[in-house]
Amino acid sequence: MLRALLLALAKSSRLRRLITSHGATRRMARRFVPGEELPPAIEAARVCNKAGMTVSLDHLGENVVTREDAERARASYTEALDQIAAQGIEGNVSLKLTHLGLDLGGEFCAEQLRIVTRRAEELGNFVRVDMEGSAYTDRTLRMVKQARAESAAVGTVIQAYLFRSEEDIRDLLGIGCRIRLVKGAYKEPSRIAFRRKKDVDANFIKLMKILLPSGTYHALATHDPKMIEAAIRFAAEQNITKDKFEFQMLYGIRTDLQSRLVRQGYRVRVYIPFGKDWFPYLMRRLAERPANLVFFARNLFRGAGPSA
Ligand SMILES: Cc1cc2nc3c(=O)[nH]c(=O)nc-3n(C[C@H](O)[C@H](O)[C@H](O)COP(=O)(O)OP(=O)(O)OC[C@H]3O[C@@H](n4cnc5c(N)ncnc54)[C@H](O)[C@@H]3O)c2cc1C
């Protein structure tokens, strides 16, 4: 119930204005989003690299309504790729197609993606296309397949909560596409998605077992120790070595687990979001773990000081 409410509130522009205009809430959001511009994200990336982890930089933004905004987003991604190379960061980028104008037309968006992917390829880097709500699944997969036909420097994300995901994985494996497997962060109807955690978890493990032996380099993006343990056990049984896949986690979440995996010799990539449009991202993180709301509320009252 609370998860559904938080995901619905993520779409409220009034709440967005309220939350993002306050210094206290902006400071608290730093736990999940290191900054609103690229330099603090690069700094956070450097810290992760020093701790033995690679990164993926995500310039936050989705559902832009003008072509100018989409082009600005595209330019921010080529800039991020340039800075990653110039500053010797071990990392790539993650982006959302609705940030590159998917709502404004397929051809237009495909061209923006092509420009970013080409730059990544020139720099020997990689672009991960995030997966958004189910209204975009078909279009995202179509566009990724088209981009993948032109360049190997692009991959995408599959959500274990969708019934269709096994079929999508088999389709993407057919073209050697790198996949990040996640549980899924959006509010989806029971007609198309598993609703119970135990069913989503079972499907995550089933899909992980298809991905890891496939011979392509994939990522398992989860903070769930049970999913991670299942993957480690399966990889050991199948003689899949630690350099053949990676774990991914979000900036600021389960940093203890991130470090432990690095110490055990596993590859870990930290997803680092940055940018002014952090409200929907923050709401999805709160929805995943409503206990984070307590952290927010406690700090809000503490930050409000004695006059509150
Ligand atoms: C690198 C990365 C990229 C992602 N990209 C996408 C994408 O493109 N599309 C998409 O739909 N989803 C994406 N997600 C989000 C994903 O779908 C899940 O919503 C999210 O990862 C929470 O699920 P979980 O696997 O961590 O397991 P859960 O079962 O939700 O949580 C397991 C445990 O992890 C910890 N945990 C999980 N979330 C939080 C949190 N917010 N704060 C504190 N602790 C937490 C808790 O200890 C919890 O008990 C991404 C996630 C990661 C890590």
Side-chain angles (χ1 to χ4, degrees):
M1 282 278 284
L2 188 54
R3 177 174 185 270
L5 177 67
L6 289 165
L7 290 176
L9 286 173
K11 295 189 176 134
S12 158
S13 47
R14 276 178 74 184
L15 187 65
R16 175 194 296 243
R17 271 196 303 278
L18 189 73
I19 298 281
T20 56
S21 62
H22 277 280
T25 42
R26 287 168 71 153
R27 275 193 302 281
M28 281 184 277
R30 292 286 170 277
R31 177 180 162 183
F32 300 113
V33 181
E36 296 193 353
E37 307 294 337
L38 180 59
I42 293 279
E43 221 17 73
R46 212 183 293 289
V47 173
C48 290
N49 283 176
K50 275 202 186 115
M53 297 176 249
T54 56
V55 301
S56 192
L57 299 187
D58 166 28
H59 184 199
L60 292 170
E62 47 203 274
N63 298 107
V64 297
V65 291
T66 69
R67 288 190 168 209
E68 290 70 28
D69 283 344
E71 284 162 354
R72 256 194 296 278
R74 180 255 293 156
S76 79
Y77 274 106
T78 50
E79 169 66 9
L81 285 164
D82 288 346
Q83 286 302 316
I84 285 171
Q87 306 214 25
I89 297 294
E90 285 288 333
N92 58 33
V93 296
S94 292
L95 54 80
K96 290 185 173 40
L97 290 183
T98 67
H99 198 194
L100 294 188
L102 186 57
D103 294 327
L104 306 171
E107 261 316 300
F108 170 75
C109 180
E111 183 52 23
Q112 307 313 308
L113 179 62
R114 190 172 295 121
I115 294 170
V116 181
T117 309
R118 233 183 251 147
R119 182 66 64 86
E121 193 164 27
E122 284 160 15
L123 294 167
N125 208 329
F126 180 76
V127 178
R128 178 80 62 182
V129 177
D130 285 348
M131 189 57 75
E132 303 180 63
S134 57
Y136 297 104
T137 313
D138 278 326
R139 280 179 284 170
T140 301
L141 291 175
R142 242 193 335 268
M143 208 163 286
V144 166
K145 284 200 282 186
Q146 190 185 321
R148 184 62 183 67
E150 294 169 16
S151 165
V154 64
T156 192
V157 178
I158 290 290
Q159 298 153 324
Y161 63 16
L162 293 184
F163 300 152
R164 59 180 285 170
S165 287
E166 180 174 351
E167 210 174 301
D168 289 334
I169 281 185
R170 296 202 187 278
D171 190 29
L172 290 169
L173 287 182
I175 56 165
C177 187
R178 286 168 58 178
I179 293 169
R180 170 201 294 153
L181 180 64
V182 300
K183 288 193 189 178
Y186 297 82
K187 185 173 180 299
E188 301 293 358
S190 54
R191 181 171 43 80
I192 61 164
F194 298 107
R195 301 295 280 273
R196 292 186 311 179
K197 178 174 158 56
K198 81 176 202 335
D199 296 330
V200 178
D201 288 358
N203 205 38
F204 187 100
I205 291 175
K206 180 178 179 196
L207 300 179
M208 172 274 286
K209 290 182 176 176
I210 299 173
L211 290 177
L212 291 194
S214 71
T216 300
Y217 187 84
H218 300 297
L220 305 172
T222 177
H223 313 93
D224 190 337
K226 285 203 188 102
M227 301 300 105
I228 292 170
E229 274 313 309
I232 288 176
R233 212 175 316 118
F234 178 72
E237 283 162 14
Q238 301 289 315
N239 293 320
I240 296 165
T241 52
K242 293 173 179 173
D243 58 337
K244 296 289 187 288
F245 65 98
E246 66 185 33
F247 291 110
Q248 297 188 352
M249 292 188 216
L250 302 177
Y251 178 81
I253 297 179
R254 291 304 311 258
T255 49
D256 56 328
L257 191 51
Q258 295 173 13
S259 310
R260 196 185 331 141
L261 287 168
V262 171
R263 281 198 302 277
Q264 292 171 354
Y266 290 98
R267 293 185 170 193
V268 177
R269 186 179 299 275
V270 179
Y271 183 100
I272 302 183
F274 68 97
K276 295 188 170 55
D277 196 7
W278 45 263
F279 175 73
Y281 177 86
L282 176 70
M283 294 302 280
R284 286 196 288 274
R285 302 296 76 84
L286 295 179
E288 279 154 12
R289 188 165 162 77
N292 286 334
L293 270 177
V294 177
F295 162 84
F296 251 67
R298 202 185 294 134
N299 283 277
L300 195 61
F301 291 124
R302 210 179 274 155
S307 62

